[in-house]
Amino acid sequence: MNDAPKPVRIAVGLWLATAVFVLFTVVGLWFQRGHVQELTKWSSDQVTSFLVTLTVVAVIFAAAYAWLTRAFLRRKNWARVALSVISIVHMIWILFLGVSAANLVTLLLICVAIVFTWQSRTAQWLAEVREQ
């Protein structure tokens, strides 16, 4: 990563921050389980089912971000495309869940990561491998 330009390093940091933030958010929801049940008026089983689903999805997204970021650092152009596709799916999932402060932070992280991932300096850095 030492030879990577600043936009690449920023993009990598943002993708990994997104992965970590998503996991911390879902862990936080487990600690607020009672509050979730109180707000939704769901039974304990419904809340558990909801949180398990959120946890599975969060782990899948976090793992995808981590794996694809690693490939991106290895200068795989397909990883840049895949990160963008996964992040769009993630944003749709977030919009499906509804508005919350954590979801807005996640959306912001994703949007800024996409911007840095697709900057011209990043494209040049990826193209250098194909030229060698």
Side-chain angles (χ1 to χ4, degrees):
M1 186 153 142
N2 291 339
D3 68 329
K6 191 173 185 174
V8 172
R9 292 191 310 266
I10 292 170
V12 166
L14 288 167
W15 287 121
L16 295 177
T18 302
V20 170
F21 186 75
V22 165
L23 293 175
F24 280 150
T25 300
V26 78
V27 167
L29 284 174
W30 278 99
F31 283 110
Q32 296 178 347
R33 192 175 189 287
H35 187 63
V36 171
Q37 187 171 0
E38 193 177 294
L39 285 173
T40 59
K41 307 291 188 226
W42 291 345
S43 69
S44 180
D45 290 341
Q46 288 173 311
V47 171
T48 299
S49 176
F50 175 71
L51 291 176
V52 166
T53 301
L54 284 182
T55 303
V56 168
V57 171
V59 168
I60 290 169
F61 280 123
Y65 286 137
W67 179 68
L68 291 170
T69 299
R70 186 170 183 244
F72 177 58
L73 270 175
R74 291 183 171 176
R75 294 186 173 192
K76 306 294 184 191
N77 193 50
W78 61 264
R80 182 168 71 148
V81 174
L83 276 166
S84 300
V85 170
I86 291 293
S87 66
I88 290 168
V89 171
H90 192 182
M91 286 190 283
I92 292 168
W93 169 257
I94 288 171
L95 294 173
F96 172 73
L97 289 178
V99 177
S100 73
N103 285 347
L104 291 175
V105 169
T106 304
L107 287 172
L108 180 64
L109 283 169
I110 289 171
C111 289
V112 176
I114 288 173
V115 167
F116 280 99
T117 300
W118 287 95
Q119 282 195 346
S120 61
R121 184 61 192 114
T122 303
Q124 290 170 353
W125 179 74
L126 289 169
E128 289 171 3
V129 170
R130 289 191 296 264
E131 293 171 3
Q132 295 175 355

